[in-house]
């Protein structure tokens, strides 16, 4: 959703996201976001991204979607039962997202690479939630369920 993309680009510009030395991809985004001069530039990037086809990406993780469905019940409170994302809870869409990317982000939240900046309130909440997933298998199970949404 555009609101989430705009917020993330702002967070990269402000150093709220992408400042951790263990986040090389975040550092790349900081450099990209720094080139966006103002809110209009951010809106233009978001509009372009929203114009791209919304294809369902090929799954790359192996997991048990039934176990993942049980674990996803907690996620659904913020992200929606269909993984559609919910503006009022600051939770982005999960359906039609690449599982490899979501896995890396969940691991980043678990390890404090994301969500540890003092001004990243929703990131801190997500970091706490990510730590409820005990291991990579639990992450894979949730992602396999999300892939089925």
């Amino acid at each position: 959703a555009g609101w989430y993309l705009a917020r993330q680009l702002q967070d990269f510009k402000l150093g709220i996201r992408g400042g951790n030395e263990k986040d090389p991809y975040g550092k790349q985004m900081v450099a990209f976001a720094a080139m966006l001069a103002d809110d209009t530039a951010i809106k233009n990037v978001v509009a372009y991204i929203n114009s791209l086809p919304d294809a369902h990406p090929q799954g790359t993780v192996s997991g048990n979607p039934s176990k993942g469905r049980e674990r996803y019940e907690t996620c659904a409170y913020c992200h929606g039962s269909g993984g559609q994302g919910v503006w009022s809870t600051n939770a982005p869409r999960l359906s039609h997202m690449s599982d490899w990317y979501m896995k890396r982000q969940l691991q980043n939240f678990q390890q404090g690479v994301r969500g540890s900046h003092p001004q990243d309130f929703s990131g801190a909440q997500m970091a706490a939630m990510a730590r409820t997933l005990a291991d990579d298998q639990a992450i894979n199970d949730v992602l396999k369920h999300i892939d089925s949404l």
Side-chain angles (χ1 to χ4, degrees):
W3 57 268
Y4 183 77
L5 292 171
R7 189 181 83 215
Q8 292 306 299
L9 288 170
Q10 286 288 357
D11 283 355
F12 281 118
K13 280 183 68 107
L14 296 170
I16 295 171
R17 185 166 173 202
N20 190 299
E21 74 243 9
K22 295 179 183 177
D23 188 7
Y25 302 106
K27 288 190 177 302
Q28 290 174 346
M29 285 302 301
V30 167
F32 170 74
M35 294 186 291
L36 301 173
D38 55 22
D39 287 343
T40 300
I42 290 174
K43 288 177 185 174
N44 288 338
V45 168
V46 169
Y48 171 73
I49 292 170
N50 283 337
S51 76
L52 298 172
D54 189 19
H56 188 106
Q58 180 77 26
T60 63
V61 301
S62 297
N64 182 326
S66 296
K67 287 183 181 178
R69 184 178 345 104
E70 293 172 21
R71 290 186 170 104
Y72 184 78
E73 287 179 14
T74 302
C75 308
Y77 287 109
C78 292
H79 293 279
S81 61
Q84 72 274 16
V86 179
W87 173 82
S88 62
T89 58
N90 291 308
R93 179 181 80 164
L94 302 178
S95 66
H96 289 104
M97 295 296 296
S98 298
D99 57 8
W100 60 265
Y101 175 79
M102 290 190 292
K103 182 171 184 169
R104 180 173 40 201
Q105 296 313 307
L106 285 167
Q107 291 169 333
N108 283 348
F109 281 121
Q110 288 177 330
Q111 297 164 9
V113 173
R114 254 188 99 177
S116 58
H117 189 280
Q119 293 177 331
D120 189 2
F121 306 115
S122 55
Q125 180 181 12
M126 188 59 214
M129 295 309 300
R131 286 190 288 275
T132 67
L133 297 169
D135 54 24
D136 278 352
Q137 188 59 56
I139 291 173
N140 288 352
D141 291 346
V142 168
L143 294 175
K144 206 62 179 170
H145 170 69
I146 292 169
D147 187 48
S148 72
L149 299 174

